[in-house]
Amino acid sequence: MDAPLGASPSLSPSTSRGIQKSNSTRSAGARSTRSHESVHVLGVHPLGSLRVLRPESSPCPLERMNVDGDDEGPPPLEPPLGDAIDLGENQRPGTGQSFSSSPSKRYRNLQAHQMGGGDAAVILDLPKIYTIAYDSIAFSVRNFVGVKNIPAGPHFFWFSHPGGVAAARAGVWLLGSDSQDQVHVVQWDAYSEHLTEATRSEARNNAENMPNIYAQLVPYSDPSQVGQGRGLLSMYQIERNRRIWQQLTTHINAAELNRITGPQVGGWIVHTLDRAQGVSQFSAEVELARAVPNHNLQQRELHFVIERTTRLFSIESLGPQRTREAIDPFTYLVTKLEDAQNHLTFEDLVAEFQFSFVTGIHLGNDACVEQWWFMLLKLLVKSHLLIQERPLIAASMWRSASAQISYSSEWMESSILENSEVRCRELRIGLIVYKRRMEEFLQGNKNHVTPDHLAASAAFARFESVLTELGWNLSGDYLRRGIVMMEDGEEVELELTDLEAEDERGEWAPELVEFDDNGRERGLISWSD
C-alpha cells in the first residue's frame, strides 16, 4: 500500500539509515576476537588513550530524514575558539532583531571560566621542581599548576630549572582580557625542554575543568597566599609590583607581539636562544648555544624594526647632510617609521624597546639585550631632535628607561648596567651631551616650548634621578686634568679625553690658521705651484 502524500514512508529495520554495528567475528577471520592480535590500531594514539570530549546521543534516523527521504547532512561545526562568543540578550550579530534560542545553542567563549576574578593561566606537564616567574614575581615551587586572578594587560611568564646557572629559560607573553575571564593554557614539552602551544582540545578541557583545579592555582598578586589567609607580601609591595610592571609594558599589545615574534596561538613563546633576524650571532650567543646541550630546540627569529647593524643614515645624502644624519639618527627614524609601505609608527619603537628589555633580562637572551643597548645608545641618546619634533615619544622612551633601570636595580639580582663598563661610559657621555642640547632648546626657544616638551623634560629628569641614586653624575662638571699618585708613590699628570668634541679639546680644539691671498692656508705644500 502506498504511503499518503506528504507523509514519510515507513522504515523497516532492514532499511534503517543509522550506523550499523559491524561483525567483528567475521572480520577477525579464524582468529579469536579476544586476542589482542585481532585488534588493529591506526594512528599515533595508543589504544585506550582516546577519550570522548563532548558525549552526545546519536540523532534519531527519523529526525535526520526530510520529506524527500534525503539526509540533511552533518550538524554545523562549532565556532573557532577565537570566534566563540556569548551573544547575550538574544541578539544576532549585525542585526537588531531578537530570536528565541535555548542557552545551549548560543555561541559562548569556550576558553572562559565561570569562577570570576580575572583570567587564569595553566601550565601543563611542568616538572615538579622548577623556578616559576611572572611579571615582577619569581619563586620556586613544587607541582605548579597555574595562576588565577590575572588582571587585564600584557604579562610575561618564564620558567627555569633551579639547578643550573647556564640553563636556558623559556617564556611566554600572555594578554589578560578585560572581562571575559579567559583561560590561557601553555604546555611544557619535556622532549625539547621548551614551552609549546597546547592543543585546542587540551585548552578546552582545562577551561571546562577549571572548577576542579581552581583551588590549586596561586593568586596573581601574592603566590604565597593560601586559601582565605594572608600571604607574605604586604599591600604596599603588591601595589609596588603592579605599578612597576605597568610602567614596563605600556606599549605591549597583540599587534606588537605578532610583529616581533610572529603570529602564535595561545601565547607568544620566546626562549633564551632566540636570535634577531638578519643579524649574525656574536661570540656570546655562540657560547650560550653550545652550553645548552639540546639539539631538539628550534630557535625562533625575532623581527625588530631597526636592526642593530643598520646604517643610521641614507647613502643618498652627501656632504654636511650625511654628517648631520650620522650624528643624529632622527632623520633616518622619520624616514623609516613614517614610510607608508612599512606600516610602522614611533609607538612601535617604544614597544620594541620594552619587549627587548623584559625578554632579554628575564631569559638572558643576548639578542634582546644587545637590541636594548643599541636602542638606548644609538637611537634614543643620540637623537637630540626627537625631543623637539616628537616630544611625546621621547617622554615615553625616557619613562620606560627609568622604569627599566629601577626594575633591574631593585627587583633583579644584578642591574643591567653592571658588567658593561664600556657601554656605561658611552651612556654617561651621551647623556651629558643630550642634557645640554635639551636645555639649549628649552631655554633658547621659550616661545615654541609646549607642554609636551615640558613632559619630555620631566621624564628625562626622572631618568637622571634614577641614575643619581646609583651614583651617576650627569652635570659634566668634573676635573678634566689632574695629578694622580700611583701605587709606588710616583705622581703622573693625566687628562681625561671624555667630551673632547663637546668641550673642543684635544684634536677637536680650535686653531688659528693664516691664509694667503688666494684663500689657501699658509705653510702647506702645493703641487701645482
Side-chain angles (χ1 to χ4, degrees), residues 211-357:
N212 298 327
I213 65 174
Y214 193 77
Q216 304 177 33
L217 307 181
V218 299
Y220 169 84
S221 59
D222 188 357
S224 63
Q225 180 181 356
V226 179
Q228 300 298 328
R230 296 188 59 180
L232 301 178
L233 299 180
S234 63
M235 293 301 299
Y236 170 76
Q237 292 174 318
I238 294 175
E239 179 63 21
R240 189 165 174 261
N241 291 336
R242 183 194 64 82
R243 189 183 303 112
I244 189 65
W245 184 253
Q246 288 182 347
Q247 296 173 1
L248 291 173
T249 58
T250 55
H251 286 68
I252 300 294
N253 52 47
E256 301 297 342
L257 294 173
N258 284 332
R259 179 182 58 81
I260 298 175
T261 67
Q264 301 183 40
V265 179
W268 293 266
I269 298 174
V270 287
H271 192 268
T272 300
L273 300 182
D274 289 348
R275 53 188 299 182
Q277 184 188 32
V279 179
S280 301
Q281 288 183 309
F282 54 95
S283 57
E285 290 180 303
V286 175
E287 292 179 2
L288 181 60
R290 293 176 179 175
V292 180
N294 190 347
H295 303 288
N296 303 318
L297 182 64
Q298 183 178 3
Q299 295 178 332
R300 287 185 171 89
E301 287 190 342
L302 304 177
H303 307 271
F304 295 118
V305 173
I306 301 178
E307 301 171 357
R308 61 178 183 267
T309 57
T310 303
R311 180 180 56 248
L312 299 179
F313 59 88
S314 175
I315 59 176
E316 298 178 356
S317 58
L318 301 174
Q321 178 65 23
R322 175 178 290 189
T323 303
R324 286 191 294 268
E325 292 182 4
I327 295 176
D328 192 330
F330 175 76
T331 303
Y332 178 83
L333 291 178
V334 172
T335 305
K336 177 73 173 181
L337 298 178
E338 296 188 353
D339 189 352
Q341 297 180 355
N342 295 332
H343 304 286
L344 298 172
T345 62
F346 275 93
E347 283 74 12
D348 298 328
L349 197 68
V350 182
E352 190 171 292
F353 188 55
Q354 296 176 348
F355 174 90
S356 301
F357 174 82

Side-chain angles (χ1 to χ4, degrees), residues 194-208:
H194 190 20
L195 292 174
T196 59
E197 302 171 357
T199 61
R200 177 171 295 187
S201 60
E202 286 289 352
R204 186 182 303 174
N205 290 338
N206 282 271
E208 295 177 351

Side-chain angles (χ1 to χ4, degrees), residues 484-517:
V484 178
M485 180 175 293
M486 309 301 290
E487 295 180 356
D488 56 357
E490 181 183 1
E491 294 183 351
V492 180
E493 182 180 3
L494 296 179
E495 181 178 1
L496 299 179
T497 59
D498 296 348
L499 298 174
E500 279 191 344
E502 184 71 11
D503 298 338
E504 296 183 345
R505 296 182 293 113
E507 62 175 330
W508 305 94
E511 296 181 0
L512 295 178
V513 179
E514 184 180 358
F515 295 94
D516 57 16
D517 297 337

Side-chain angles (χ1 to χ4, degrees), residues 399-414:
R399 292 193 194 101
S400 299
S402 301
Q404 291 165 355
I405 300 301
S406 299
Y407 180 79
S408 65
S409 302
E410 301 178 21
W411 273 264
M412 306 295 293
E413 295 181 355
S414 60

Side-chain angles (χ1 to χ4, degrees), residues 381 424-434 478 498-499:
V381 174
C424 288
R425 178 177 176 272
E426 181 181 355
L427 175 61
R428 181 178 176 275
I429 296 175
L431 290 174
I432 293 175
V433 177
Y434 186 93
Y478 60 91
D498 296 348
L499 298 174

